[in-house]
Amino acid sequence: GDVVSSWRNYGLNSQPIARIWTTLDAIAMEKLFHMETFIVQNDDEHEILFPSMYTQDVMQRVATFIAELDSLSPLAEGFHIASFPMMENWTDLPSPKAKESKKEEEEEKGDEDRTEAIYKVVCIATAEPFANKLLDMEEDLLTLTSTSVLEVVVSRTAKGGDSPYLTEPYKGLYLSS
C-alpha cells in the first residue's frame, strides 16, 4: 500500500522543505522567475497571501553570500539550509474560521490529541506567468516546468504546553508544564 508520512515541526527554528525543487541555475538564469503564495482551503478555493515577487534581488544576495563565504566556514562543506527573506515585513496568517455551531465546539473539547487541518499555505516559485494556474496542475506535469512547490498544512492543535507532541527539552518553556 501507499506509505503516508507526516512531518511535525519539533524545533523552534525548523525550516519546511519544498516537495518539488528547482535547480539554482534555472532560478538564476530566468529573469521572470517569481514566487507567489496562496491560502488554499477545501482543496479548491484559494486566495493570494503574497503577491508575485521576483527572485532576482534575492538571487543577487545568494550569489554574494556564496562568493564571500570563507573556505574555513562550517558552511563551506556539507548540506545546509540558508534563509534569504524576500519581504521586509512580516505577514500574519489568517485566523481560523469560527466554529459554525456549539456542537462543533463541544466535539472538540476533550480531544486535545487531535489535529485539524485548517488550510494550506502554498508557495509556488516559477517562471510560468500565472502561478495560480499551477495550483491545479498534476504533479507529473508540474515537474516538467521550472517550478518549486512548498506546501505547509496549518493545523489546529493543543496549546503549546498541553501538546502531546512537545518534546521534553521544550516543556520547561511553558508555564503550565
Side-chain angles (χ1 to χ4, degrees):
D2 291 342
V3 175
V4 177
S5 62
S6 180
W7 178 82
R8 290 197 171 276
N9 183 344
Y10 290 112
L12 295 178
N13 189 22
S14 297
Q15 299 286 330
I17 304 294
R19 68 178 169 86
I20 300 176
W21 290 62
T22 304
T23 60
L24 193 57
D25 63 333
I27 298 169
M29 298 304 291
E30 182 57 62
K31 289 183 186 228
L32 297 178
F33 204 85
H34 64 281
M35 184 182 86
E36 291 185 50
T37 306
F38 304 92
I39 298 291
V40 179
Q41 296 181 346
N42 305 327
D43 290 329
D44 58 354
E45 302 170 26
H46 67 271
E47 61 187 76
I48 295 173
L49 181 61
F50 302 125
S52 182
M53 296 177 284
Y54 288 96
T55 60
Q56 204 166 19
D57 290 340
V58 174
M59 292 310 299
Q60 181 62 43
R61 292 196 316 256
V62 170
T64 301
F65 174 77
I66 292 171
E68 294 176 355
L69 194 63
D70 186 320
S71 63
L72 298 177
S73 167
L75 298 177
E77 292 185 30
F79 179 80
H80 305 279
I81 295 175
S83 296
F84 295 87
M86 292 184 70
M87 298 176 63
E88 292 182 20
N89 300 318
W90 289 96
T91 299
D92 290 332
L93 292 176
S95 297
K97 292 181 181 172
K99 296 295 174 195
E100 292 187 23
S101 70
K102 284 275 191 199
K103 182 180 178 188
E104 285 180 314
E105 280 184 36
E106 292 300 319
E107 288 173 357
E108 242 182 44
K109 287 184 180 175
D111 196 5
E112 297 294 329
D113 191 28
R114 193 187 81 186
T115 58
E116 172 191 348
I118 300 171
Y119 54 79
K120 286 191 279 191
V121 176
V122 181
C123 299
I124 297 180
T126 186
E128 301 296 323
F130 303 105
N132 63 333
K133 302 291 185 204
L134 302 175
L135 286 169
D136 300 323
M137 188 178 282
E138 291 183 31
E139 192 157 330
D140 292 346
L141 295 174
L142 197 56
T143 57
L144 298 176
T145 66
S146 290
T147 300
S148 294
V149 179
L150 169 67
E151 287 184 354
V152 177
V153 176
V154 177
S155 301
R156 185 183 318 274
T157 61
K159 60 185 178 192
D162 297 335
S163 173
Y165 303 103
L166 185 66
T167 56
E168 204 58 45
Y170 297 117
K171 287 188 179 180
L173 297 174
Y174 293 91
L175 296 174
S176 64
S177 297

Coordinates of all heavy atoms in Angstrom, one line a residue, residues 95-109 114-118 155-156:
S95 N -6.7 34.2 10.5 CA -7.2 33.5 11.7 C -8.1 32.3 11.2 O -8.8 32.5 10.2 CB -8.1 34.4 12.6 OG -7.2 35.4 13.1
P96 N -8.2 31.2 11.9 CA -9.1 30.2 11.5 C -10.5 30.6 11.6 O -10.9 31.5 12.4 CB -8.8 29.1 12.5 CG -8.0 29.6 13.6 CD -7.4 30.9 13.1
K97 N -11.3 30.1 10.7 CA -12.8 30.5 10.7 C -13.4 30.0 12.0 O -13.1 28.9 12.5 CB -13.5 29.9 9.5 CG -13.0 30.5 8.2 CD -13.7 29.9 7.1 CE -13.2 30.6 5.8 NZ -13.7 30.0 4.6
A98 N -14.4 30.7 12.5 CA -15.0 30.3 13.8 C -15.9 29.1 13.5 O -16.3 28.8 12.4 CB -15.9 31.5 14.2
K99 N -16.1 28.3 14.6 CA -16.9 27.1 14.5 C -18.3 27.6 14.2 O -18.8 28.6 14.7 CB -16.9 26.4 15.8 CG -15.5 25.8 16.2 CD -15.2 24.8 15.1 CE -13.7 24.3 15.4 NZ -13.2 23.6 14.2
E100 N -19.0 26.8 13.3 CA -20.3 27.2 12.9 C -21.4 26.8 13.9 O -22.5 27.4 13.9 CB -20.6 26.5 11.6 CG -19.8 27.0 10.4 CD -20.2 26.5 9.1 OE1 -21.4 26.1 8.9 OE2 -19.4 26.5 8.2
S101 N -21.1 26.0 14.9 CA -22.1 25.6 15.9 C -21.5 25.3 17.2 O -20.3 25.0 17.3 CB -22.9 24.4 15.4 OG -22.1 23.3 15.4
K102 N -22.3 25.4 18.2 CA -21.8 25.0 19.6 C -21.5 23.5 19.6 O -20.6 23.0 20.3 CB -22.9 25.2 20.6 CG -23.0 26.7 21.0 CD -22.0 27.0 22.0 CE -22.3 28.4 22.6 NZ -21.2 28.9 23.3
K103 N -22.2 22.7 18.8 CA -21.9 21.2 18.7 C -20.5 21.0 18.3 O -19.8 20.1 18.8 CB -22.9 20.6 17.8 CG -22.8 19.1 17.7 CD -23.8 18.5 16.7 CE -23.6 17.0 16.7 NZ -24.3 16.3 15.7
E104 N -20.0 21.7 17.2 CA -18.6 21.5 16.8 C -17.6 21.8 17.9 O -16.6 21.1 18.1 CB -18.3 22.4 15.6 CG -19.0 21.9 14.3 CD -18.7 22.9 13.1 OE1 -18.8 24.1 13.3 OE2 -18.3 22.4 12.1
E105 N -17.9 22.9 18.7 CA -17.0 23.3 19.8 C -17.0 22.2 20.8 O -15.9 21.9 21.4 CB -17.5 24.6 20.4 CG -17.0 25.8 19.6 CD -17.4 27.1 20.3 OE1 -17.3 27.2 21.5 OE2 -17.8 28.1 19.6
E106 N -18.2 21.7 21.2 CA -18.3 20.6 22.2 C -17.5 19.4 21.8 O -16.9 18.7 22.6 CB -19.7 20.3 22.5 CG -20.4 21.5 23.2 CD -19.8 21.8 24.6 OE1 -19.4 20.9 25.3 OE2 -19.7 23.1 24.8
E107 N -17.6 19.0 20.5 CA -17.0 17.8 20.0 C -15.5 17.9 20.1 O -14.8 16.9 20.3 CB -17.4 17.6 18.5 CG -18.8 17.1 18.3 CD -19.2 17.0 16.9 OE1 -18.4 17.3 16.0 OE2 -20.3 16.6 16.6
E108 N -15.0 19.2 20.0 CA -13.5 19.4 20.0 C -13.0 19.3 21.4 O -11.8 18.9 21.7 CB -13.2 20.8 19.4 CG -12.3 20.7 18.2 CD -12.0 22.0 17.7 OE1 -11.7 22.9 18.5 OE2 -12.0 22.2 16.5
K109 N -13.8 19.7 22.4 CA -13.3 19.7 23.8 C -13.0 18.3 24.2 O -13.7 17.3 23.9 CB -14.4 20.3 24.7 CG -14.4 21.8 24.6 CD -15.4 22.4 25.5 CE -15.4 23.9 25.3 NZ -16.4 24.6 26.2
R114 N -6.1 15.5 19.0 CA -6.4 15.6 17.6 C -5.9 16.8 16.9 O -5.9 17.9 17.5 CB -8.0 15.5 17.5 CG -8.5 15.3 16.1 CD -9.9 15.4 16.0 NE -10.1 16.9 15.9 CZ -11.3 17.4 15.9 NH1 -12.4 16.7 16.1 NH2 -11.5 18.8 15.8
T115 N -5.4 16.7 15.7 CA -5.1 17.9 14.9 C -6.1 18.0 13.8 O -6.5 17.0 13.2 CB -3.7 17.8 14.4 OG1 -3.6 16.6 13.5 CG2 -2.6 17.7 15.4
E116 N -6.4 19.2 13.5 CA -7.4 19.5 12.5 C -6.8 20.5 11.5 O -6.3 21.5 11.8 CB -8.6 20.2 13.1 CG -9.6 20.7 12.2 CD -10.7 21.6 12.9 OE1 -10.7 21.7 14.1 OE2 -11.4 22.3 12.1
A117 N -6.7 20.0 10.2 CA -6.2 20.9 9.1 C -7.2 22.0 8.9 O -8.4 21.8 8.7 CB -6.0 20.1 7.9
I118 N -6.6 23.2 9.0 CA -7.5 24.4 8.8 C -7.4 24.9 7.3 O -8.4 25.2 6.7 CB -7.0 25.5 9.7 CG1 -7.2 25.1 11.2 CG2 -7.9 26.8 9.5 CD1 -6.6 26.0 12.2
S155 N -2.6 23.6 11.0 CA -3.5 22.7 11.8 C -3.8 23.4 13.1 O -3.0 24.1 13.7 CB -2.9 21.4 12.0 OG -2.5 20.7 10.8
R156 N -5.0 23.1 13.6 CA -5.4 23.4 14.9 C -4.8 22.3 15.8 O -5.1 21.2 15.6 CB -6.9 23.5 15.0 CG -7.4 24.0 16.4 CD -8.9 24.0 16.4 NE -9.6 24.5 15.3 CZ -9.9 25.8 15.0 NH1 -9.5 26.7 15.8 NH2 -10.5 26.1 13.9

